[in-house]
Amino acid sequence: MRTLQTVTLLASAVGAALMAGLFCAFAYAVMPGLSRTDDRAFVRSMQHINRVIINPWFLIPFLLPLPSLVLATVLAAKGHSPGAMPRIVAALVLYAAAFLVTGTRNVPLNDTLDKVPLDVAPDRLRDARAAFEDRWTTWNTVRAVLHTASLGALLWALYLHGAAAGELNS
């Protein structure tokens, strides 16, 4: 069971790291870069990004940490690395909060922007961008921070899990 606990923590940490990296990259590079484009280029670029990101390379690391963290929590409750339990629960809560931000804030904004035709008047593109950009960027930053905090909790849990294994072997 100890090996399963290690695998669940590592899988969760890898997923959290990939998501933290992706959303942080959007916060410090992608969105600032797109902010310098005209409205049509901005809307077109975000539409393309939002369509291509739904793929296994995104979905697996995005979805896998949730069930993995639930299993890690159950294993910790059954006595596998109980000292890591508070960090595992914290990682689960933080990751779930980030997941909810994505589903309730960023995705609906993406869906609305996706419906904007590119052959409309410039003022409609400007309005669509104005309704999207600042709100999406703010919520993206929130989820980047939440994923990063989840990763931090997972790394601490892994450390405690490893330290507990060392104590068992002494």
Side-chain angles (χ1 to χ4, degrees):
M1 285 302 204
R2 186 150 185 82
T3 300
L4 181 58
Q5 178 75 331
T6 302
V7 169
T8 61
L9 291 172
L10 285 172
S12 299
V14 168
L18 289 169
M19 292 302 100
L22 173 68
F23 298 134
C24 285
F26 264 89
Y28 62 68
V30 175
M31 296 311 286
L34 288 177
S35 74
R36 297 177 181 195
T37 63
D38 64 64
D39 296 333
R40 187 175 292 350
F42 178 89
V43 171
R44 180 184 316 122
S45 296
M46 286 305 299
Q47 286 176 340
H48 288 308
I49 290 167
N50 291 328
R51 291 173 189 157
V52 301
I53 201 164
I54 304 303
N55 67 71
W57 293 105
F58 169 78
L59 290 173
I60 291 170
F62 181 63
L63 297 174
L64 181 63
L66 286 173
S68 184
L69 281 166
V70 169
L71 179 56
T73 302
V74 169
L75 291 171
K78 290 186 173 192
H80 303 284
S81 301
M85 177 79 151
R87 279 74 177 188
I88 297 168
V89 171
L92 175 58
V93 169
L94 290 162
Y95 200 93
F99 189 87
L100 287 172
V101 167
T102 298
T104 63
R105 302 297 179 202
N106 294 92
V107 169
L109 289 167
N110 293 345
D111 292 345
T112 300
L113 190 68
D114 193 52
K115 295 174 185 163
V116 176
L118 296 172
D119 59 353
V120 297
D123 61 327
R124 180 138 181 241
L125 287 171
R126 184 184 63 246
D127 293 346
R129 179 181 184 167
F132 176 89
E133 188 172 13
D134 288 342
R135 289 174 52 210
W136 192 94
T137 300
T138 297
W139 286 111
N140 180 70
T141 301
V142 169
R143 68 185 175 171
V145 168
L146 289 168
H147 280 293
T148 302
S150 179
L151 174 61
L154 277 163
L155 293 175
W156 192 246
L158 274 163
Y159 170 77
L160 294 172
H161 176 71
E167 291 170 8
L168 292 174
N169 294 330
S170 339

